[in-house]
């Protein structure tokens, strides 16, 4: 540009508007001495060219602006004076690192915090999602749903390994429990045949026995009947646990369901000289249940309360929305708090009054619990603040 201007003795304005330069470059000239600026293009309204008027001693460099980039200043000498030469490149966006550097401090802090929160949220979700799935599966298994599993995934980190091991453990646990239940049911079923033959042989032997032998045979017959009752209860529990017990639901009124159960319980309480206070029954409330299974569960709970009560047993009945609450409380010795959760387990017996000496086998509450659960209900056992145990049956009415 200097050679061309000096050779042809042309001004700076003629030089930058020459077709050789005007077609290819967007040039800006600024004269410090004359305070004069020239350009060969019409700058957009958002470009302030006066921002490029730097000191003469500044070395040429790349200048970044919000709306353009510029190369310069390059000091050139023309016939009409010295100028600072800039080449503009409008519309060029700043590199993101430079834009980040040029941000205000407060905005940098906001961006850093936002990025940190976003990364923390993403990282937390990758951890919390599988942990919540494991917790949900563990909760289901603890509630008795042994078929529950944590969702399998393609993770190869520690959580993925933990999920696979948890599912393997749950599958093994389900197999062991199902095998135990099946074994218990199979053994009980196989005991029925020799027990029947034993009872038949005992009955035949009584016909020709003397008085001493007869007493012994009657004792054998009594123990055989108790064993038969125990086997029947075990088979019932096994069918309920394996969901093999057919539930034949029918619509029945509460009076029709509980009146026979209350009558039997009243007779038994009177024979033991204990006071039984029964709730009033109504024909206006109905349940959709298997009457035989639910009545047996209620009868088990009532007999259990009469057995361990000192003098008083109270039965209350109330309705909350679509839930029937049948509560049976006694004034007996109660149960230690840490043993309440185990009372519904098969063959579980606590110390003191609730032991084998009282004639219990530890199956009544377990059968009642499974029977009520088969109707989508719940059996709740808790100690009465005034003493004794309170058994509450919660049954949906639909």
């Amino acid at each position: 540009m200097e050679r061309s201007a000096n050779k042809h003795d042309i001004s700076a304005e003629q030089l930058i508007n020459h077709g050789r330069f005007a077609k290819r470059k967007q040039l800006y000239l600024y004269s410090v001495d004359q305070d004069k600026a020239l350009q060969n293009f019409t700058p957009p309204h958002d470009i302030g060219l006066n921002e490029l008027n730097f000191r003469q001693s500044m070395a040429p460099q790349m200048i970044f602006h919000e709306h353009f980039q510029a190369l310069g200043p390059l000091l050139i000498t023309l016939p009409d004076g010295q100028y600072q030469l800039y080449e503009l490149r409008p519309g060029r966006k700043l590199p993101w690192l430079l834009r980040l550097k040029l941000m205000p401090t407060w905005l940098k802090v906001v961006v850093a915090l936002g990025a940190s929160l976003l990364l923390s949220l993403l990282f937390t979700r990758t951890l919390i999602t599988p942990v919540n799935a494991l917790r949900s599966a563990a909760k289901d298994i603890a509630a008795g749903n042994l078929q529950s599993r944590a969702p399998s995934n393609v993770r190869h980190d520690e959580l993925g390994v933990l999920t696979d091991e948890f599912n393997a453990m749950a599958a093994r646990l389900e197999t062991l429990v199902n095998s135990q239940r099946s074994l218990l049911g199979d053994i009980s079923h196989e005991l029925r045949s020799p027990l029947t033959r034993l009872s038949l042989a005992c009955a035949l032997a009584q016909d020709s026995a003397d008085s001493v032998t007869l007493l012994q045979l009657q004792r054998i017959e009594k123990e055989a009947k108790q064993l038969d009752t125990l086997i029947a209860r075990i088979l019932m529990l096994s069918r309920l646990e394996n969901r093999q017990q057919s539930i034949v639901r029918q619509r029945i009124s509460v009076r029709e369901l509980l009146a026979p159960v209350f009558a039997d319980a009243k007779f038994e309480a009177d024979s033991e000289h204990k006071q039984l206070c029964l709730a009033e029954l109504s024909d206006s409330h109905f349940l959709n249940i298997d009457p035989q299974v639910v009545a047996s569960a209620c009868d088990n709970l009532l007999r259990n309360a009469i057995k361990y009560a000192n003098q008083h047993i109270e039965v209350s009945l109330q309705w909350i929305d679509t839930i029937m609450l049948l509560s049976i409380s006694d004034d007996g010795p109660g149960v230690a708090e840490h043993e309440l959760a185990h009372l519904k387990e098969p063959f579980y017996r606590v110390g003191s009054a609730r032991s084998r000496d009282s004639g219990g086998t530890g199956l009544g509450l377990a059968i009642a619990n499974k029977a009520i659960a088969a109707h989508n209900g719940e059996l709740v056992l808790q100690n009465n603040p005034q003493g004794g145990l309170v058994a509450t049956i919660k049954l949906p009415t639909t």
Side-chain angles (χ1 to χ4, degrees), residues 47 62-70 87-95 99:
I47 296 180
M62 176 73 75
I63 301 171
F64 295 100
H65 189 270
E66 183 179 1
H67 303 292
F68 64 88
Q69 296 178 11
E87 179 189 347
L88 272 70
R89 297 175 180 177
R92 298 293 183 92
K93 293 184 178 180
L94 298 180
R99 280 184 284 172

Side-chain angles (χ1 to χ4, degrees), residues 100-318:
L100 184 62
K101 183 178 180 181
L102 294 176
M103 285 182 179
T105 303
W106 68 269
L107 188 55
K108 291 179 182 178
V109 173
V110 171
V111 171
L113 289 176
S116 300
L117 289 175
L118 180 60
L119 291 175
S120 299
L121 178 62
L122 293 176
F123 181 69
T124 303
R125 285 181 64 87
T126 60
L127 291 179
I128 293 299
T129 300
V131 170
N132 284 338
L134 280 172
R135 184 178 65 177
S136 178
K139 185 177 180 180
D140 290 341
I141 292 177
N145 181 16
L146 299 180
Q147 297 179 346
S148 179
R149 299 289 184 272
S152 58
N153 46 49
V154 294
R155 296 176 65 112
H156 300 291
D157 56 1
E158 288 78 2
L159 282 175
V161 174
L162 178 61
T163 299
D164 295 337
E165 292 181 351
F166 176 86
N167 288 336
M169 178 199 69
R172 180 61 175 164
L173 180 63
E174 181 183 10
T175 301
L176 290 175
V177 172
N178 289 338
S179 298
Q180 180 189 23
R181 291 172 177 174
S182 299
L183 179 63
L184 188 63
D186 294 341
I187 292 177
S188 301
H189 188 271
E190 292 300 324
L191 287 176
R192 272 288 176 84
S193 296
L195 183 61
T196 302
R197 292 193 295 269
L198 176 64
S199 299
L200 180 60
C202 183
L204 294 174
Q206 289 182 19
D207 295 338
S208 57
D210 55 31
S211 58
V212 177
T213 306
L214 182 60
L215 292 176
Q216 296 175 345
L217 291 174
Q218 288 175 348
R219 180 64 181 178
I220 293 174
E221 183 180 18
K222 179 181 178 181
E223 295 296 336
K225 288 181 178 179
Q226 291 182 352
L227 183 59
D228 184 65
T229 301
L230 176 61
I231 292 174
R233 288 193 165 194
I234 294 175
L235 288 174
M236 170 66 76
L237 178 63
S238 178
R239 286 194 295 267
L240 288 172
E241 286 183 335
N242 296 320
R243 299 182 181 180
Q244 296 175 347
Q245 175 69 31
S246 59
I247 303 297
V248 182
R249 294 177 180 267
Q250 67 181 69
R251 184 175 171 81
I252 185 173
S253 68
V254 175
R255 178 185 293 278
E256 186 178 357
L257 172 70
L258 295 179
V261 177
F262 284 1
D264 293 341
K266 182 67 173 175
F267 177 80
E268 183 171 345
D270 291 341
S271 64
E272 296 189 16
H273 307 289
K274 295 180 181 180
Q275 182 181 5
L276 176 62
C277 297
L278 297 171
E280 294 185 4
L281 301 177
S282 172
D283 291 323
S284 59
H285 292 98
F286 291 84
L287 297 171
N288 186 27
I289 57 171
D290 186 322
Q292 183 177 359
V293 174
V294 175
S296 176
C298 296
D299 183 68
N300 272 333
L301 294 176
L302 275 169
R303 290 179 181 274
N304 190 70
I306 293 172
K307 180 184 299 182
Y308 297 112
N310 291 327
Q311 290 295 329
H312 185 75
I313 307 98
E314 184 174 356
V315 180
S316 62
L317 184 64
Q318 58 179 323

